[in-house]
Amino acid sequence: MFLSNVSIKRPIFAGMMNLLIIIIGLLAYRKIGVDNQPKIDLPVVSIRVQVPGATPKFIEQNVLNPIESVLRSIEGIDTMDSTATNGSVNIRVSFVLSENINVAVNNIRNAMTSVTGKKNWPSNALTPVVKPVDQNASSILQVALSSSKSKDFGIGNLSEYINRGCPT
């Protein structure tokens, strides 16, 4: 009520206050920094277990299922993706953004210790590797070049151009 009364009685004052707010906003906008590659700290943990010579079905039944059942009891997990291949299993656990990555890694390591200590754990399984995923270390773009001709001069030139123009 007070602001509307002042604006009606003194329109020039109200206009000047609006102009002042716009000028301050424009000055602040010019000073806002933009980072082309901002640092991303997503709480994501990677688990890798190698079982030499094991089939994906064996790994799923004897390694993946016990790990997933123990991981389900950990608080703060958002998503969990797993892949079982010949001789290894990879599990990617994403936590909610408010979760501390160090606490999450310790919780997963403790859970993995309880799983690997059971007597039905495969004897040829190597020690599980639990580590946080560093989003800033991953590549932004990957390029694959191929040619059906063994002496294709264009592929070599393109590859050389990419290596010179895009330092790693």
Side-chain angles (χ1 to χ4, degrees):
M1 191 74 162
F2 171 74
L3 185 61
S4 60
N5 286 339
V6 170
S7 297
I8 292 170
K9 291 179 183 175
R10 296 195 166 99
I12 295 176
F13 174 73
M16 288 299 173
M17 294 314 293
N18 283 330
L19 188 61
L20 179 67
I21 290 172
I22 291 171
I23 290 172
I24 290 173
L26 289 173
L27 291 174
Y29 178 74
R30 290 183 59 196
K31 293 188 179 203
I32 293 176
V34 176
D35 193 358
N36 290 336
Q37 294 180 347
K39 188 172 188 263
I40 301 172
D41 289 326
L42 297 176
V44 179
V45 179
S46 170
I47 306 165
R48 180 172 172 86
V49 181
Q50 293 183 331
V51 186
T55 64
K57 186 173 183 175
F58 176 84
I59 289 176
E60 180 182 358
Q61 292 172 350
N62 298 302
V63 178
L64 186 58
N65 289 341
I67 290 174
E68 285 183 344
S69 66
V70 170
L71 291 180
R72 282 189 208 109
S73 66
I74 296 176
E75 293 291 322
I77 291 180
D78 187 27
T79 61
M80 186 171 20
D81 302 316
S82 55
T83 306
T85 60
N86 282 329
S88 70
V89 61
N90 294 313
I91 304 169
R92 183 179 174 101
V93 183
S94 300
F95 288 86
V96 293
L97 290 176
S98 61
E99 191 72 25
N100 183 339
I101 188 67
N102 296 326
V103 173
V105 168
N106 287 335
N107 289 342
I108 289 181
R109 283 189 179 135
N110 293 338
M112 292 302 297
T113 302
S114 71
V115 171
T116 58
K118 293 182 179 177
K119 57 183 166 182
N120 60 349
W121 184 255
S123 60
N124 61 337
L126 301 178
T127 305
V129 177
V130 178
K131 63 181 179 179
V133 175
D134 184 8
Q135 304 291 335
N136 298 316
S138 62
S139 60
I140 296 172
L141 175 70
Q142 294 180 353
V143 178
L145 302 174
S146 66
S147 174
S148 60
K149 300 177 184 177
S150 62
K151 296 182 180 182
D152 191 356
F153 190 67
I155 294 290
N157 284 342
L158 182 60
S159 172
E160 185 178 321
Y161 173 75
I162 290 172
N163 287 335
R164 277 185 289 138
C166 302
T168 55

